[in-house]
Amino acid sequence: MQNGKLHILTDTPSLANHFVAELRDVTIQHDSLRFRRNLERLGELLAYEISKTLPYTTAGITTPLAQTQTQLLTAQPVLATILRAGLPLYNGMLNYFDKAYSTFVGAYRVEEENTELQINMEYLASTDLHDKILILADPMLATGKSLVKAYKGMLRHGKPVQVHVAAVIASPEGVKYLQQEIPEATIWLGALDDHLNEKSYIVPGLGDAGDLAFGPKI
Ligand SMILES: O=P(O)(O)OC[C@H]1O[C@H](OP(=O)(O)OP(=O)(O)O)[C@H](O)[C@@H]1O
Ligand SMILES: O=c1cc[nH]c(=O)[nH]1
Ligand SMILES: [Mg+2]
């Protein structure tokens, strides 16, 4: 699906399908090194796709043989992510936007029986966001509450001129919530899944991205 504001990598046959498949597959996903690397690879692909929509200016460069011209980013984006599971995806993006400044948010879902899902946000370290192109990356867009809470917290550090949200797997419910709460955002997904289950996990999804990347939380 491509509607200008929502882009989904796996709607087109490409290697992105392999990386998402390996993240989901129970016979492969327990290899945590491979799991993190696949998140990183998708961060690289998403960064590349986003880069095609950013502003560029013509710049002159000197090779050993001649002068030539090229198109370079007018300004670096700011990369933001949510700990823990966001780290490998962020790292992939930083591999490509290698001069970007960063913003980090520490947030986690509090999953308790019979209560509505809450997000605990305990840490936010941000660079100046005023008039910046912000790319907010988190592998899982489930209810969307973590991303929305993180973004609203970040606005204390300036209003970005452009907002991109990048996720590896999203639910339709999460996309709808994000579009309602952050209508200015362009959304970039690895895959758009079917639904959320009663514990607000994405189905078919991949399970718990943070635990698969870094081990179970106690
Ligand atoms: O859309 P939501 O319903 O808010 O869910 C998505 C959040 O869940 C995961 O983090 P989690 O809370 O599991 O923390 P972790 O990265 O420490 O595992 C994921 O990385 C998102 O931040
Ligand atoms: O399906 C989900 C939902 C939230 N967080 C995850 O890691 N997976
Ligand atoms: Mg988790």
Side-chain angles (χ1 to χ4, degrees), residues 85 109 111 140-143 196 199-203 205-211:
R109 307 191 330 162
E111 295 159 16
M140 308 306 280
L141 168 53
T143 64
L196 288 179
K199 293 193 164 157
S200 298
Y201 273 78
I202 302 171
V203 182
L206 52 73
D208 191 304
D211 288 3

Short mmCIF file of all heavy atoms in Angstrom, two decimals, residues 85 109 111 140-143 196 199-203 205-211, ligand 2:
data_model
loop_
_atom_site.label_atom_id
_atom_site.label_comp_id
_atom_site.label_asym_id
_atom_site.label_seq_id
_atom_site.Cartn_x
_atom_site.Cartn_y
_atom_site.Cartn_z
N ALA A 85 13.74 -2.40 22.33
CA ALA A 85 13.71 -3.07 21.03
C ALA A 85 14.07 -2.15 19.87
O ALA A 85 14.47 -2.62 18.80
CB ALA A 85 12.32 -3.67 20.80
N ARG A 109 5.77 -1.14 27.93
CA ARG A 109 4.36 -1.42 28.17
C ARG A 109 4.21 -2.14 29.50
O ARG A 109 4.95 -3.06 29.80
CB ARG A 109 3.81 -2.32 27.05
CG ARG A 109 4.07 -1.78 25.69
CD ARG A 109 3.36 -2.45 24.57
NE ARG A 109 3.01 -3.85 24.67
CZ ARG A 109 2.10 -4.43 23.91
NH1 ARG A 109 1.44 -3.73 23.01
NH2 ARG A 109 1.85 -5.72 24.01
N GLU A 111 1.98 -4.57 31.19
CA GLU A 111 0.93 -5.51 30.78
C GLU A 111 0.36 -6.19 32.01
O GLU A 111 0.99 -7.09 32.57
CB GLU A 111 1.53 -6.54 29.80
CG GLU A 111 1.99 -5.91 28.49
CD GLU A 111 3.02 -6.74 27.72
OE1 GLU A 111 3.18 -7.93 28.03
OE2 GLU A 111 3.67 -6.16 26.83
N MET A 140 8.02 -2.35 16.64
CA MET A 140 6.64 -2.82 16.76
C MET A 140 5.69 -1.65 16.97
O MET A 140 5.84 -0.88 17.93
CB MET A 140 6.51 -3.81 17.93
CG MET A 140 7.53 -4.95 17.90
SD MET A 140 7.53 -5.88 16.37
CE MET A 140 6.12 -6.94 16.61
N LEU A 141 4.71 -1.53 16.09
CA LEU A 141 3.64 -0.54 16.25
C LEU A 141 2.38 -1.34 16.54
O LEU A 141 1.71 -1.82 15.63
CB LEU A 141 3.53 0.29 14.97
CG LEU A 141 2.32 1.20 14.76
CD1 LEU A 141 2.09 2.13 15.92
CD2 LEU A 141 2.48 1.99 13.47
N ALA A 142 2.11 -1.58 17.83
CA ALA A 142 1.00 -2.46 18.23
C ALA A 142 -0.25 -1.62 18.51
O ALA A 142 -1.04 -1.38 17.62
CB ALA A 142 1.43 -3.29 19.42
N THR A 143 -0.38 -1.10 19.75
CA THR A 143 -1.48 -0.15 20.00
C THR A 143 -1.11 1.24 19.50
O THR A 143 -1.97 2.08 19.32
CB THR A 143 -1.79 -0.04 21.51
OG1 THR A 143 -0.63 0.50 22.17
CG2 THR A 143 -2.13 -1.39 22.12
N LEU A 196 -4.58 -7.09 16.51
CA LEU A 196 -3.99 -7.23 17.85
C LEU A 196 -4.76 -8.30 18.61
O LEU A 196 -5.99 -8.37 18.49
CB LEU A 196 -4.15 -5.92 18.63
CG LEU A 196 -3.30 -4.72 18.22
CD1 LEU A 196 -3.64 -3.54 19.13
CD2 LEU A 196 -1.82 -5.05 18.31
N LYS A 199 -4.00 -9.47 24.36
CA LYS A 199 -2.89 -8.91 25.16
C LYS A 199 -2.18 -7.79 24.41
O LYS A 199 -1.06 -7.42 24.75
CB LYS A 199 -1.90 -10.01 25.52
CG LYS A 199 -2.49 -11.03 26.48
CD LYS A 199 -1.43 -11.91 27.05
CE LYS A 199 -1.98 -12.63 28.26
NZ LYS A 199 -1.27 -13.85 28.58
N SER A 200 -2.81 -7.31 23.36
CA SER A 200 -2.26 -6.23 22.53
C SER A 200 -0.94 -6.63 21.85
O SER A 200 -0.05 -5.79 21.66
CB SER A 200 -2.07 -4.94 23.33
OG SER A 200 -3.30 -4.48 23.81
N TYR A 201 -0.81 -7.91 21.52
CA TYR A 201 0.31 -8.37 20.69
C TYR A 201 -0.16 -8.43 19.23
O TYR A 201 -1.32 -8.77 18.96
CB TYR A 201 0.84 -9.74 21.14
CG TYR A 201 1.89 -9.57 22.22
CD1 TYR A 201 1.51 -9.29 23.53
CD2 TYR A 201 3.25 -9.63 21.93
CE1 TYR A 201 2.45 -9.08 24.53
CE2 TYR A 201 4.20 -9.43 22.92
CZ TYR A 201 3.81 -9.15 24.20
OH TYR A 201 4.74 -8.94 25.17
N ILE A 202 0.76 -8.15 18.32
CA ILE A 202 0.42 -8.14 16.90
C ILE A 202 0.35 -9.58 16.38
O ILE A 202 1.23 -10.39 16.68
CB ILE A 202 1.46 -7.33 16.09
CG1 ILE A 202 1.55 -5.89 16.61
CG2 ILE A 202 1.12 -7.34 14.60
CD1 ILE A 202 2.70 -5.08 16.03
N VAL A 203 -0.71 -9.89 15.62
CA VAL A 203 -0.92 -11.21 15.01
C VAL A 203 -0.95 -11.06 13.49
O VAL A 203 -1.66 -10.19 12.98
CB VAL A 203 -2.25 -11.83 15.49
CG1 VAL A 203 -2.43 -13.23 14.90
CG2 VAL A 203 -2.30 -11.88 17.03
N GLY A 205 2.50 -11.18 13.61
CA GLY A 205 3.59 -10.57 14.37
C GLY A 205 4.84 -11.39 14.43
O GLY A 205 5.17 -12.15 13.50
N LEU A 206 5.55 -11.25 15.55
CA LEU A 206 6.78 -12.03 15.74
C LEU A 206 6.99 -12.39 17.20
O LEU A 206 7.98 -13.03 17.56
CB LEU A 206 7.99 -11.28 15.19
CG LEU A 206 8.24 -9.82 15.63
CD1 LEU A 206 8.74 -9.72 17.04
CD2 LEU A 206 9.24 -9.19 14.68
N GLY A 207 6.07 -11.97 18.09
CA GLY A 207 6.28 -12.17 19.52
C GLY A 207 6.79 -10.89 20.14
O GLY A 207 6.41 -9.80 19.71
N ASP A 208 7.67 -11.02 21.13
CA ASP A 208 8.17 -9.84 21.85
C ASP A 208 9.54 -9.45 21.31
O ASP A 208 10.54 -10.14 21.54
CB ASP A 208 8.24 -10.14 23.35
CG ASP A 208 8.51 -8.88 24.14
OD1 ASP A 208 9.53 -8.20 23.86
OD2 ASP A 208 7.70 -8.54 25.02
N ALA A 209 9.57 -8.35 20.58
CA ALA A 209 10.81 -7.96 19.90
C ALA A 209 11.95 -7.66 20.88
O ALA A 209 13.10 -8.05 20.64
CB ALA A 209 10.55 -6.73 19.03
N GLY A 210 11.62 -7.00 22.00
CA GLY A 210 12.66 -6.66 22.98
C GLY A 210 13.27 -7.92 23.58
O GLY A 210 14.50 -8.04 23.72
N ASP A 211 12.43 -8.89 23.94
CA ASP A 211 12.92 -10.13 24.54
C ASP A 211 13.75 -10.92 23.53
O ASP A 211 14.77 -11.51 23.89
CB ASP A 211 11.75 -11.00 25.02
CG ASP A 211 11.08 -10.43 26.27
OD1 ASP A 211 11.49 -9.34 26.73
OD2 ASP A 211 10.14 -11.06 26.77
O1 LIG B 2 3.45 -7.80 19.23
C1 LIG B 2 4.11 -7.04 19.95
C2 LIG B 2 3.54 -5.94 20.59
C3 LIG B 2 4.33 -5.12 21.35
N1 LIG B 2 5.64 -5.41 21.49
C4 LIG B 2 6.20 -6.46 20.88
O2 LIG B 2 7.41 -6.68 21.01
N2 LIG B 2 5.42 -7.26 20.13
#
